[in-house]
Amino acid sequence: MMKRKLSFLEIAAALLNNLRKNTQYNCYDAVPDNTPSPLIFAEVVGKRDSSSKTMYKETFIAYVHAIAAPGDSRVQIYNMIHDVEEALTEDLVLPDDITFLFCTETGVQSVQNSSSSFEKDETNEWHAVIGFEITVSYGLKCKT
């Protein structure tokens, strides 16, 4: 039986907690003006029902932005992508009445429409966007 649904705020907080705990970078949900890079910011951009015949489930779509310090080398952005991927292999901590099922990476997205997965922005910083889908369960369905 489903008692309640997880809010965007709760899933974003859990995502940021894992990134803060498991990376060396400052992590934000909104980056303050003039914040120096490198940094990470995360956003939850959508959700969809993923229920099965027996279980209430929902999948949240999140993007994690990694922004490297200015420079020509891609080494830092590659390391940041790896660190984000590793940080999100650890289960997210959610409220007790909601079960974290899994987090799946959907790939490195391009910031702009181009053939490159990494784009330098006007500040000479490399910026990568890593997509994730986070699936949670609200409980089993019961026949009445």
Side-chain angles (χ1 to χ4, degrees):
M1 171 186 307
M2 180 170 37
K3 296 180 181 176
R4 72 176 191 95
K5 287 194 167 193
L6 191 65
S7 73
F8 273 55
L9 177 61
E10 290 170 309
I11 198 77
L15 181 65
L16 283 166
N17 284 339
N18 270 34
L19 291 168
R20 288 175 179 140
K21 183 172 78 169
N22 297 310
T23 70
Q24 63 184 359
Y25 308 104
N26 291 324
C27 301
Y28 303 94
D29 67 336
V31 182
D33 288 342
N34 301 316
T35 301
S37 55
L39 61 90
I40 293 171
F41 72 94
E43 58 183 344
V44 180
V45 297
K47 68 176 181 171
R48 68 176 180 276
D49 182 66
S50 301
S51 295
S52 66
K53 185 177 178 180
T54 59
M55 187 181 295
Y56 294 106
K57 296 186 291 187
E58 211 165 36
T59 300
F60 289 84
I61 297 99
Y63 294 132
V64 177
H65 299 255
I67 301 176
D72 292 328
S73 174
R74 293 183 173 116
V75 171
Q76 185 176 46
I77 196 66
Y78 293 157
N79 284 331
M80 292 180 78
I81 292 166
H82 181 293
D83 291 347
V84 167
E85 291 170 333
E86 286 297 312
L88 296 180
T89 61
E90 185 175 306
D91 290 358
L92 300 182
V93 177
L94 301 175
D96 289 338
D97 52 346
I98 296 168
T99 304
F100 170 81
L101 295 178
F102 51 88
C103 179
T104 305
E105 181 181 347
T106 59
V108 177
Q109 315 295 319
S110 177
V111 173
Q112 301 170 2
N113 289 332
S114 72
S115 60
S116 174
S117 295
F118 314 101
E119 294 293 329
K120 261 196 206 178
D121 60 24
E122 61 277 356
T123 61
N124 201 34
E125 298 167 314
W126 290 101
H127 181 163
V129 182
I130 308 109
F132 291 92
E133 291 189 346
I134 301 158
T135 303
V136 301
S137 169
Y138 300 121
L140 296 173
K141 292 181 177 179
C142 299
K143 290 185 178 185
T144 56

